[in-house]
Amino acid sequence: MTISGAAPLDRERNDRDAHDGAPAGTDDPYLELFEDAPCGYLETTPDGIITRVNRTFERWTGHHREALLGSPFVELLTSPGQLFYETRYAMVLSLAGEVREVSLAVRCADERELPILVNAVMVTDADGAPRAIRTAVFDATERQDYERQLLLARRDAEASEARVRVLQDASSAFGLATTAQELAAALLASAGSALRASSAAVLLADGSGPLELVEGDDITMALLPEGLEALAEQAIASGEIITLSSLAQAAAIMPGLDDALHRHRLAAVSIIPLRTDERAAGVVISLFGRDRSFDAESREIQAALARQAGQVLRRVRLQEELAHRALHDQLTGLANRKLLEEQLEAAISAATRSRRPLSVVFVDLDGFKAINDSLGHRVGDDVLVEVAARLRSVARAGDSVARYGGDEFVVVCEDAAAEASATIAERFREAVGRPLDSVPPRYDVAASIGVAVWEPGERAEPTPDFLLRTADEAMYASKDAGRDRVTIVMAGETDSTDLAHDPRAEASWEH
Amino acid sequence: MTFTAPRAHTDALRRNNVTVSGDPAGRPIVFVHGFGCSQAMWRSVAPQFEADHRVVLLDLVGAGGSDRDAYDPAKYDSLHGYADDVLEVLEALDLHDVVYVGHSVAATIGVLAETTDASRFGELVLVGPSARYLDDEDYRGGFARADIDGLLDALDANYLGWSTDMAPAIMGNAERPELGRQLTESFCAVDPEIARHFARVTFLSDNRRDLSAVRTPTLVLQCSDDVIAPESVGRYVHEQIPTSRFVQLAATGHCPNLSAPDELVREIRSFLP
């Protein structure tokens, strides 16, 4: 220790400054002020190469002056500090001329990290060209601990606030859903906002059938056959979230999927199963534009979203089931009378708007009562189910097939005039007349069919009831004429009571 | 600043605070800044091209004078979101045969823009590029995941510093908004919330697979002693881009545009045909 006369300033200093390297000629009180100032002091070139350093800085960091001089200041910093220095600190210093109270950390000689606060100014020459950077360094160890705790507490608070907000938003959006489709749309919206997914899709399994895409964008759809669908099946089978954090992981789990993802500018995947009860009923697939680590927190949010959606899905499925039951015949699964009337009403309005013809086909089984009476109701039921399936299979894609009563069926055929409906009705007659699987050959059934055709025109719009009655009467005409035949009537052109004498009775096909 | 652009495109120009200067008939040169700064960082470089180039500067969304309301977290969760913006700006100004100069992460953004639609690019200049900052098996990016978390801590710890720097500068000059704007630019204004997300996207992305698809002549400019993008990282970028040339700068650190603008300008000019 070569400084004398200044010792009373700091009793401990002699102990701590037990290394050499300090410049000689310490009579200068300003030099001493510099060397032993209560802050570290550095001077660097504008590029950050250290040219001067004081003793306080040496002492705090344990680095010797000889090692420090000529090396870049940034290399003293911890890695995060280096990132911050090069992406922010150096730029602000260069552009604004100074930085203040920047929080960094220095790597000390003994590998310890010293948290520091830094003020720095850029010194320029007369022309304004940068000449040097002067940097004051303060030991921020105590502050750092306290601030770090504050920071962690703030992050925790922000994270839990964000989590609650995501789940609240989701729960109100899910709550409004009345169909699986609406729920899927709400789920996709929360995947985008909560997970920052760039693409997403919702797939649901209906009963035991295969997964069906309920909602999703083109990209996800394009990727389903490339391996996503197989992963979705896996997630459903295991009930566990599947995550692919990077393309490398995608390649390891599903070779080829990495290239497919990369083609669509994607790098990570998460697949969350939706549980309605003991089994998963579907999945949410989220796709991300960069590597994702899926930490415990993000998995927790995903699981919570899935739980909420699963509960809503169960409710929605139940409602759909009840709604379906209210409108369908339990035995055959066909539309019931109530749904038929709704469909017919809609069809009449549509026909009026489009000025296209509409036909109502009334089918009554001949020979059914005999089967029911002699072979029992169970066999009767089987016959009804078989006939229903046949009617459905020969009806056109858009036709509505309903069970009207005991052994009566009604089919609403839009955009079908007399000739087209004659063809359709003939197909029904032929389909019902083929031998049935459910009864012995001698118990044949046949169909007496009546068709009411309505062509929108000068006459007023008919009621559903009127069309049904007209078709029913035409059906009785077929029965009266000897069964197993089709009678076609133009609804509204004749009083239906005169049907038997209608010249159009020629349009009756006999067999 | 005069340019005629269809109205639909003025959105892109406003969103990215695009400024155009120099020779309107000159070859277009577009400068894009990296993480942590704004177009202000080109102030010693861009003017040196004004005599014979049409010079275009822009701020990535979240930085400088960009439209913060345009920040869509899902879109900007990948560098492609920024690359799409660059393409929209080129289209809005109807630029062709563009010299694209991107610093740091904007080098990767340029690569993504080029591989999405190469038609408007003439040359790429990548200043201090890195396609992957994290170490990954055999690849040395230079950083571990913990370092990036530490950077996020550093951003948070310095959050107050940023806003107090900014606030008086803007509020104290309410009567002279142009002065406030100047100060904002000179401070490299960055929205702290967005900066945090951009830091994640920048330092956690892996764009190594995108390099080999580049077809445009490319100059890789590597600084000496660059802790952010060390030489091995720059060489990797060069090796992966078949059409690239590698030049080692004497400039040290990560920002030659600030520390050695003349050398940077010289190298860019000698690369251009």
Side-chain angles (χ1 to χ4, degrees):
Chain A
M1 191 62 229
T2 50
I3 300 173
S4 59
L9 284 175
D10 185 348
R11 275 187 292 122
E12 293 167 49
R13 202 185 59 200
N14 283 349
D15 307 330
R16 282 193 273 157
D17 290 359
H19 62 79
D20 42 36
T26 51
D27 295 347
D28 182 349
Y30 291 103
L31 183 57
E32 188 204 313
L33 190 62
F34 166 76
E35 290 291 351
D36 295 320
C39 66
Y41 183 86
L42 293 159
E43 202 163 281
T44 69
T45 64
D47 291 353
I49 306 298
I50 299 173
T51 52
R52 292 169 77 186
V53 60
N54 76 345
R55 203 147 48 201
T56 309
F57 189 80
E58 286 182 284
R59 204 170 64 221
W60 282 354
T61 62
H63 292 298
H64 285 277
R65 188 171 309 233
E66 296 75 45
L68 293 172
L69 296 180
S71 60
F73 171 58
V74 65
E75 287 186 3
L76 291 178
L77 302 175
T78 57
S79 287
Q82 291 181 347
L83 279 169
F84 186 76
Y85 180 94
E86 289 288 10
T87 57
R88 180 74 191 165
Y89 181 105
M91 291 176 204
V92 174
L93 185 57
S94 169
L95 294 170
E98 68 171 348
V99 293
R100 287 211 182 165
E101 290 183 54
V102 174
S103 165
L104 296 168
V106 166
R107 264 198 297 247
C108 297
D110 60 2
E111 296 296 312
R112 195 169 42 89
E113 288 184 9
L114 175 69
I116 55 170
L117 279 178
V118 177
N119 279 2
V121 290
M122 180 75 82
V123 185
T124 55
D125 60 20
D127 304 331
R131 191 159 58 81
I133 300 168
R134 291 183 181 150
T135 307
V137 175
F138 302 89
D139 181 341
T141 310
E142 284 177 31
R143 237 184 104 138
Q144 157 91 9
D145 288 346
Y146 159 77
E147 284 187 349
R148 171 106 201 126
Q149 278 168 22
L150 270 183
L151 179 63
L152 291 179
R154 198 189 79 197
R155 275 210 200 135
D156 265 2
E158 280 176 1
S160 63
E161 196 261 347
R163 195 162 48 230
V164 168
R165 199 178 50 234
V166 163
L167 295 177
Q168 266 177 353
D169 289 355
S171 122
S172 48
F174 294 175
L176 294 173
T178 54
T179 62
Q181 186 87 40
E182 285 170 13
L183 174 64
L187 255 174
L188 284 202
S190 41
S193 62
L195 311 176
R196 290 173 175 170
S198 40
S199 292
V202 174
L203 275 62
L204 297 178
D206 201 352
S208 57
L211 279 175
E212 235 178 279
L213 180 82
V214 176
E215 191 80 38
D217 56 25
D218 295 346
I219 291 181
T220 320
M221 252 149 69
L223 285 168
L224 283 177
E226 309 261 11
L228 281 189
E229 194 164 8
L231 287 176
E233 305 274 7
Q234 260 178 46
I236 288 200
S238 68
E240 300 289 331
I241 297 182
I242 292 180
T243 55
L244 305 176
S245 297
S246 63
L247 293 178
Q249 209 183 341
I253 288 181
M254 186 77 64
L257 179 58
D258 54 329
D259 290 329
L261 288 170
H262 186 245
R263 264 203 309 284
H264 289 96
R265 320 204 310 191
L266 298 164
V269 179
S270 88
I271 300 180
I272 324 170
L274 299 176
R275 295 174 151 276
T276 48
D277 36 54
E278 68 286 348
R279 59 183 291 280
V283 288
V284 185
I285 300 178
S286 303
L287 304 171
F288 305 92
R290 64 176 167 92
D291 291 14
R292 286 301 193 99
S293 58
F294 301 112
D295 55 12
E297 189 180 309
S298 95
R299 292 174 81 93
E300 173 48 36
I301 288 189
Q302 298 192 41
L305 277 179
R307 269 195 304 276
Q308 277 194 4
Q311 282 160 12
V312 175
L313 183 60
R314 178 154 62 172
R315 167 177 66 72
V316 165
R317 287 276 199 239
L318 205 61
Q319 280 172 343
E320 285 176 345
E321 163 96 35
L322 288 175
H324 187 267
R325 272 192 209 172
L327 296 173
H328 290 81
D329 171 47
Q330 290 301 293
L331 178 67
T332 60
L334 295 179
N336 65 12
R337 204 161 171 152
K338 184 170 180 321
L339 181 55
L340 167 71
E341 274 161 13
E342 282 175 19
Q343 287 172 335
L344 186 51
E345 198 158 323
I348 291 170
S349 304
T352 308
R353 272 197 311 277
S354 64
R355 308 184 67 80
R356 309 285 301 161
L358 170 70
S359 295
V360 175
V361 182
F362 206 112
V363 180
D364 186 278
L365 301 188
D366 304 317
F368 176 75
K369 191 169 180 304
I371 292 173
N372 228 8
D373 291 348
S374 51
L375 301 175
H377 291 297
R378 184 160 302 206
V379 177
D381 284 352
D382 291 346
V383 168
L384 290 173
V385 169
E386 207 177 340
V387 166
R390 287 185 183 184
L391 291 178
R392 199 152 37 188
S393 71
V394 298
R396 300 172 310 168
D399 294 343
S400 313
V401 184
R403 183 173 174 209
Y404 192 69
D407 58 352
E408 296 167 328
F409 300 86
V410 172
V411 186
V412 177
C413 305
E414 292 187 69
D415 202 5
E419 203 160 329
S421 60
T423 311
I424 300 166
E426 183 54 27
R427 282 211 301 263
F428 290 152
R429 193 195 62 75
E430 192 276 329
V432 173
R434 274 185 281 126
L436 291 165
D437 298 336
S438 36
V439 290
R442 58 200 172 85
Y443 290 97
D444 279 349
V445 292
S448 291
I449 298 179
V451 181
V453 181
W454 175 59
E455 290 187 336
E458 52 286 1
R459 287 180 187 266
E461 195 176 290
T463 60
D465 186 52
F466 176 75
L467 285 184
L468 284 169
R469 229 171 345 112
T470 309
D472 185 34
E473 283 160 6
M475 181 274 290
Y476 272 109
S478 291
K479 268 205 193 307
D480 292 346
R483 304 180 169 183
D484 192 17
R485 67 197 62 214
V486 176
T487 306
I488 296 189
V489 170
M490 300 306 288
E493 284 196 357
T494 359
D495 189 329
S496 53
T497 52
D498 295 340
L499 188 73
H501 315 293
D502 183 22
R504 280 187 178 268
E506 285 168 20
S508 174
W509 276 257
E510 299 200 8
H511 298 269
Chain B
M1 187 168 78
T2 54
F3 48 79
T4 50
R7 193 176 164 72
H9 291 316
T10 58
D11 291 346
L13 302 182
R14 201 180 316 115
R15 177 190 63 207
N16 289 103
N17 189 29
V18 174
T19 56
V20 183
S21 61
D23 178 4
R27 188 174 178 202
I29 185 165
V30 179
F31 293 94
V32 184
H33 66 87
F35 168 76
C37 201
S38 69
Q39 59 181 271
M41 73 174 320
W42 299 107
R43 69 173 183 181
S44 303
V45 174
Q48 302 197 44
F49 287 90
E50 285 177 348
D52 53 349
H53 284 80
R54 191 175 185 201
V55 175
V56 177
L57 293 169
L58 60 86
D59 289 329
L60 297 175
V61 168
S66 66
D67 178 7
R68 312 288 158 95
D69 293 339
Y71 198 79
D72 168 357
K75 171 179 176 183
Y76 297 108
D77 195 54
S78 131
L79 295 178
H80 280 291
Y82 295 98
D84 288 347
D85 285 358
V86 167
L87 288 172
E88 281 177 25
V89 168
L90 300 189
E91 194 188 337
L93 294 172
D94 196 23
L95 303 181
H96 295 276
D97 194 25
V98 169
V99 181
Y100 176 96
V101 184
H103 175 237
S104 200
V105 69
T108 306
I109 290 170
V111 164
L112 295 178
E114 197 270 359
T115 54
T116 301
D117 176 12
S119 67
R120 293 181 185 272
F121 293 92
E123 262 92 23
L124 292 183
V125 178
L126 311 181
V127 186
S130 170
R132 170 71 159 168
Y133 291 92
L134 295 188
D135 296 337
D136 186 6
E137 296 182 355
D138 294 341
Y139 177 82
R140 296 264 70 83
F143 294 93
R145 174 68 208 227
D147 296 332
I148 307 306
D149 291 339
L151 171 68
L152 298 175
D153 286 354
L155 291 180
D156 280 344
N158 290 301
Y159 173 93
L160 272 179
W162 297 19
S163 36
T164 48
D165 272 353
M166 297 302 314
I170 299 166
M171 292 167 61
N173 290 288
E175 291 149 38
R176 294 181 59 199
E178 78 286 355
L179 190 59
R181 185 154 176 277
Q182 228 168 32
L183 283 168
T184 309
E185 278 175 6
S186 73
F187 272 94
C188 248
V190 175
D191 181 306
E193 225 14 74
I194 297 176
R196 224 189 291 182
H197 186 209
F198 190 23
R200 274 205 185 83
V201 175
T202 296
F203 294 108
L204 299 179
S205 284
D206 182 355
N207 295 99
R208 284 175 290 170
R209 282 184 185 229
D210 298 295
L211 298 173
S212 61
V214 172
R215 294 290 171 265
T216 301
T218 299
L219 174 63
V220 175
L221 288 177
Q222 176 66 45
C223 290
S224 305
D225 301 323
D226 183 347
V227 294
I228 305 282
E231 190 187 326
S232 62
V233 162
R235 288 221 177 264
Y236 180 88
V237 172
H238 163 57
E239 282 156 16
Q240 296 294 312
I241 301 181
T243 52
S244 71
R245 190 200 296 175
F246 182 88
V247 170
Q248 175 85 46
L249 297 174
T252 57
H254 186 59
C255 300
N257 28 13
L258 294 172
S259 65
D262 296 344
E263 187 190 14
L264 187 63
V265 170
R266 204 165 52 240
E267 290 300 340
I268 295 174
R269 280 201 177 276
S270 72
F271 175 68
L272 297 182

